[in-house]
Amino acid sequence: MTSPQARLPGLPATEEEARQRAEQLRRAIEYHNYRYYVLDDPEISDAAYDALMNELRALEEAFPELRTPDSPTQRVGAPPLERFEKVHHEVPMLSLGNAFHADDVRRWYRRVCRLAGREQLDLVVEPKIDGLAVTLLYERGRLVRGATRGDGLTGEDVTPNVRTVRHIPLVIPVPAPERRRADGMPPFPPVDGPPPRLEVRGEVYMRKSDFEALNRRQAERGEKTFANPRNAAAGSLRQLDSRITARRPLSFFAYGVGIVEGVELTTHWELLGYLGALGFPINPDSRLFASLDEALAYADAWLERRHELDYEADGLVFKVNEIALYDRLGITGREPRWAIAYKAPPTEAVTVLEDIVVNVGRTGQVVPTAVLRPVEVGGVVVSHATLHNADYIQERDLRIGDHVIVKRAGDVIPQVVRPLPELRTGAERPWQMPNRCPSCGEPLVRPEGEVAYYCTNVACPAQLVRRVEYFASRNAMDIEGFGSKQAARFVELGLLKDPADLYFLTKEQILAVEGFAEKSAENLLRAIEASKGRGLARLLTALGIRYVGSTVAELLARHYASLDEIMAASQEELEAIEGIGPRTAASLVEWFSRPQNREMVEKLRRAGVRFERLGPAGEEAREPLAGLTFVLTGTLPTMTREEAKAFIQAHGGRVTSSVSRKTDYVVAGEKAGSKLRRAQELGVPVISEEELRRMVTRGR
Ligand code: IVH
């Protein structure tokens, strides 16, 4: 065999040099990993990070004995296991008692004060993250084992899986010259080296934004979607094939310890600071209080705003700060007396699944929807919920007539979690996806490898209604006074065979439609006429091409001057645009290649719809918000979120959902929450709606 040095010039000559270089690279990579994932504040570009990784990979390939399990190159997962080994928890992993009202917390506090023989006790309040508990064992600073909670005494060994979670350090302390922390967080003490043994406990969870993106990806690939971020996190971590875990966006917060050797920790607050100092992510909303009233006031205010956070939390944990008291306070069952969970008002309710109906979407996808006996969930009356697809119903064995658990989390669409089979009477009926489209009667098809059923009839009236409705909607051609009701009526009467027919409607035809009179018909004609000049971006959105929503449409309209240029663009050319992936490019090419679609485009041209972008070429340079990234938070005085987003995009800006160093401005309104705080922490400028408007007018 040729020596590695001969094959790979530039590699160290001796094994000792290689070892030193690998060590250096690992430290650098772990540091930048920490900057990126834990601090959310990268210092180097992705390309520079990749270069470090590539060099380390090359070294490990040339000197395989350097490839240790705690190398950052191993975060991609390991070959699949047959099964998980059991892990006995030397220090049991306990659960928490619940308090549903402030009064329950007061009672708990009086009791612990009495048992501790104190008038008053310091309390730490922390978010209760909805994920799954894990315990991580570090020996001389190296992550040697990760396990799930299991029943609290015995869990499962998921070491290869936890190694793929980027927020979990493989080596502690994480090499970082400084550690930033948010206001209100415990101080981070200096640490010299790793403790001999330390078991760190915390929650593996999935951010809401990551969860939504994952589900979108899964659905697009026709793979299983998850009911909520918690299931997604649990399902992702407990994979026998950790290479799958590696591809799932998991996050981690540390909140406690099991085995501790070689460190003296006297308070929980100190413990959190120590974990932060070692490089673990600790929740920035954790606080220390000297009185119960202050702690409760903080908790109530926090619970109000918890939906704005990018993770699901079902409450807060109140913990006695003084660790020495824990033994004295004792444990009831599996629940220690030194802590209690203060739960948010339930966002789950039980009701009856009265029916399952199917709706045909704009793309022909047939989606089952639950018709529920109306029930209040977290302050809102819910009567419908999406059931996603036939598999979702089958997997949960949902039957018509079942009592079901309905859940609503934040602004997420209501979900049917599961049935309560113990309440069945025998009259419940299983449900099956119909064989034929409920609208046009054509057979439904399920494409190979997908979970969704489609009606593939191009002339299906239900699809046409949805397409027309979408075409006229606010983010698209914005035809005032033309909504879903009108779309359905016009299609039913045969007045529209495609959205372009809108431009050929006569006053007489409109007057023949129920609900229209002289005045309203004229208004509609005027609105239709006005929509011809909306410009390229909105027109593109209106066409309803798969993967081409308003953001992608805006992007395309910045690169091309007219629809004709886009129609003529090749897949490669489209893909070369930053922000347009192969899937979107293919979808565009495919759409424009269909004769039926081209016909509609020609019809739009004949009608006089403007195909050009608004403004001259190089418009983006003139656009006042071009190149700027905004995050919206709170309630703005005059615009809704959607309107503010459209406003920013229409003037060339970008809107993202979370605040990072890359954010240029946070537009904050009333009741702005964590995003505002994040902006302040990172020093991102915060502006009002009025200031946003001024940026646009001044820029002109
Ligand atoms: S402390 C005795 N702190 O809640 C202390 N738990 O119901 C046990 N959890 O299994 C845990 N956030 O999965 C603690 N800040 C937090 C937490 C938290 C979420 C979960 C954890 C635990 C369950 C207990």
Side-chain angles (χ1 to χ4, degrees):
M1 207 182 110
T2 46
S3 75
Q5 297 90 302
R7 269 189 293 128
L8 288 159
L11 279 176
T14 69
E15 187 157 343
E16 180 51 25
E17 271 173 41
R19 202 190 51 72
Q20 282 177 11
R21 179 66 182 153
E23 194 48 40
Q24 199 179 22
L25 285 166
R26 278 180 198 158
R27 291 174 67 85
I29 291 167
E30 285 300 290
Y31 167 65
H32 290 298
N33 195 54
Y34 175 74
R35 297 283 308 212
Y36 188 93
Y37 289 101
V38 180
L39 300 184
D40 192 11
D41 182 18
E43 204 178 79
I44 59 171
S45 67
D46 290 0
Y49 181 85
D50 290 345
L52 296 175
M53 268 305 234
N54 287 338
E55 187 184 342
L56 181 59
R57 270 198 210 101
L59 265 180
E60 290 179 353
E61 205 145 286
F63 300 94
E65 58 286 358
L66 293 179
R67 190 178 290 143
T68 54
D70 50 33
S71 169
T73 58
Q74 303 307 298
R75 287 199 186 263
V76 292
L81 304 172
E82 295 268 314
R83 59 187 176 87
F84 295 119
E85 299 296 327
K86 296 260 173 287
V87 171
H88 170 73
H89 300 307
E90 248 172 77
V91 180
M93 293 183 76
L94 301 170
S95 63
L96 292 166
N98 287 326
F100 292 99
H101 301 282
D103 280 346
D104 299 337
V105 181
R106 289 182 195 284
R107 247 191 308 277
W108 165 80
Y109 181 77
R110 277 199 298 272
R111 175 130 124 259
V112 290
C113 282
R114 188 165 39 87
L115 291 169
R118 298 283 178 78
E119 287 279 300
Q120 169 278 336
L121 286 170
D122 285 358
L123 296 174
V124 174
V125 177
E126 292 170 11
K128 185 169 185 297
I129 317 297
D130 223 357
L132 77 158
V134 295
T135 182
L136 308 166
L137 180 63
Y138 290 83
E139 286 178 350
R140 286 182 304 280
R142 313 220 160 246
L143 174 62
V144 295
R145 195 183 66 199
T148 60
R149 175 171 180 274
D151 63 5
L153 298 175
T154 312
E156 285 174 334
D157 187 329
V158 287
T159 310
N161 309 69
V162 297
R163 284 210 172 104
T164 70
V165 179
R166 287 358 184 233
H167 294 65
I168 295 179
L170 300 173
V171 175
I172 53 168
V174 173
E178 51 148 348
R179 302 206 194 272
R180 207 163 315 104
R181 55 185 187 87
D183 286 345
M185 301 270 296
F188 290 180
V191 281
D192 304 332
R197 273 177 106 211
L198 178 70
E199 217 184 341
V200 174
R201 292 181 172 176
E203 202 84 351
V204 167
Y205 67 100
M206 198 178 283
R207 292 190 190 172
K208 288 190 217 164
S209 52
D210 287 334
F211 161 74
E212 279 156 21
L214 172 66
N215 258 2
R216 240 178 286 132
R217 249 188 356 250
Q218 295 280 106
E220 274 166 20
R221 294 202 200 117
E223 283 170 23
K224 179 183 149 155
T225 53
F226 298 96
N228 55 52
R230 201 175 84 90
N231 286 0
S236 299
L237 190 77
R238 296 187 63 255
Q239 288 282 341
L240 288 167
D241 186 347
S242 52
R243 292 169 301 194
I244 297 176
T245 314
R247 293 198 293 268
R248 300 281 173 79
L250 293 172
S251 301
F252 179 73
F253 275 128
Y255 54 63
V257 290
I259 301 165
V260 186
E261 283 175 15
V263 226
E264 240 359 278
L265 296 165
T266 57
T267 66
H268 186 68
W269 195 237
E270 203 184 299
L271 169 105
L272 290 180
Y274 179 62
L275 294 177
L278 290 174
F280 290 94
I282 55 174
N283 195 298
D285 286 349
S286 307
R287 291 288 180 278
L288 174 66
F289 294 100
S291 87
L292 177 66
D293 285 337
E294 280 173 274
L296 276 172
Y298 174 77
D300 286 330
W302 189 92
L303 287 173
E304 279 278 306
R305 297 185 341 246
R306 74 182 198 286
H307 294 312
E308 294 169 19
L309 296 166
D310 200 14
Y311 54 81
E312 286 203 338
D314 55 348
L316 287 153
V317 188
F318 282 55
K319 296 179 179 174
V320 170
N321 192 32
E322 203 178 315
I323 294 172
L325 292 174
Y326 291 5
D327 279 347
R328 176 109 148 261
L329 293 173
I331 296 175
T332 48
R334 289 275 160 83
E335 298 163 5
R337 278 215 195 80
W338 54 265
I340 194 163
Y342 181 35
K343 295 302 251 316
T347 48
E348 274 193 3
V350 174
T351 190
V352 176
L353 175 60
E354 298 196 317
D355 201 359
I356 297 177
V357 295
V358 292
N359 290 308
V360 185
R362 164 164 79 76
T363 58
Q365 190 177 346
V366 178
V367 180
T369 302
V371 179
L372 302 166
R373 183 170 298 166
V375 64
E376 200 185 303
V377 193
V380 173
V381 176
V382 170
S383 57
H384 289 90
T386 172
L387 293 169
H388 305 282
N389 52 55
D391 284 7
Y392 187 91
I393 298 168
Q394 209 124 58
E395 279 160 17
R396 287 162 185 76
D397 185 23
L398 289 168
R399 303 183 193 176
I400 295 170
D402 262 341
H403 281 79
V404 291
I405 295 181
V406 180
K407 180 176 171 177
R408 205 178 63 88
D411 25 41
V412 179
I413 328 160
Q415 303 269 348
V416 174
V417 182
R418 63 181 182 90
L420 296 169
E422 58 275 26
L423 296 182
R424 280 184 186 149
T425 62
E428 296 76 15
R429 286 176 292 122
W431 177 86
Q432 263 204 326
M433 183 61 105
N435 295 323
R436 295 183 170 275
C437 172
S439 169
C440 68
E442 288 289 307
L444 297 179
V445 296
R446 181 178 190 161
E448 183 78 32
E450 280 204 38
V451 287
Y453 283 81
Y454 290 85
C455 166
T456 56
N457 173 13
V458 285
C460 171
Q463 286 176 55
L464 181 56
V465 170
R466 294 276 103 80
R467 276 207 303 275
V468 171
E469 178 189 347
Y470 183 75
F471 183 90
S473 67
R474 226 160 151 176
N475 285 327
M477 297 306 255
D478 194 12
I479 302 178
E480 213 186 311
F482 195 90
S484 57
K485 232 190 275 160
Q486 288 76 16
R489 286 201 187 124
F490 280 73
V491 168
E492 207 176 303
L493 292 173
L495 295 172
L496 304 173
K497 295 274 184 260
D498 67 31
D501 285 340
L502 274 167
Y503 295 104
F504 297 91
L505 289 172
T506 62
K507 190 163 158 193
E508 289 64 46
Q509 286 175 319
I510 299 175
L511 280 172
V513 180
E514 193 197 321
F516 279 93
E518 194 70 21
K519 187 92 197 287
S520 47
E522 274 168 20
N523 285 344
L524 179 59
L525 280 172
R526 214 170 304 125
I528 292 173
E529 188 59 33
S531 76
K532 290 181 182 172
R534 300 267 184 256
L536 179 57
R538 278 161 170 276
L539 173 61
L540 255 180
T541 309
L543 295 179
I545 301 168
R546 208 166 177 198
Y547 311 126
V548 184
S550 54
T551 312
V552 170
E554 297 265 353
L555 196 66
L556 286 165
R558 245 172 272 155
H559 279 81
Y560 295 98
S562 80
L563 192 66
D564 290 293
E565 286 185 15
I566 297 173
M567 277 199 280
S570 67
Q571 157 120 14
E572 296 71 48
E573 203 182 308
L574 289 164
E575 258 179 60
I577 299 172
E578 198 184 316
I580 308 276
R583 206 189 48 190
T584 308
S587 167
L588 278 156
V589 171
E590 206 263 348
W591 197 91
F592 286 114
S593 73
R594 289 185 179 226
Q596 201 198 2
N597 294 335
R598 292 199 90 104
E599 224 169 86
M600 181 171 104
V601 168
E602 290 317 311
K603 225 194 275 181
L604 290 168
R605 192 197 306 278
R606 278 203 303 282
V609 172
R610 257 185 90 166
F611 279 18
E612 311 81 45
R613 69 172 154 216
L614 298 180
E619 176 183 34
E620 65 277 19
R622 258 172 32 93
E623 282 177 322
L625 307 182
L628 298 177
T629 301
F630 294 80
V631 171
L632 301 165
T633 179
T635 314
L636 301 180
T638 76
M639 291 194 258
T640 65
R641 282 268 170 108
E642 268 312 301
E643 285 164 353
K645 185 173 170 193
F647 178 83
I648 291 170
Q649 289 173 343
H651 295 99
R654 245 165 49 91
V655 178
T656 61
S657 58
S658 66
V659 182
S660 75
R661 296 249 154 193
K662 293 193 187 133
T663 311
D664 293 294
Y665 294 96
V666 168
V667 185
E670 249 187 82
K671 296 209 185 122
S674 63
K675 291 183 189 172
L676 176 58
R677 260 177 295 137
R678 184 96 187 104
Q680 287 159 347
E681 280 161 33
L682 295 176
V684 173
V686 177
I687 60 170
S688 66
E689 178 191 317
E690 204 193 320
E691 285 167 305
L692 171 69
R693 288 183 187 279
R694 245 184 286 142
M695 285 175 78
V696 169
T697 41
R698 245 185 304 147
R700 274 194 175 143

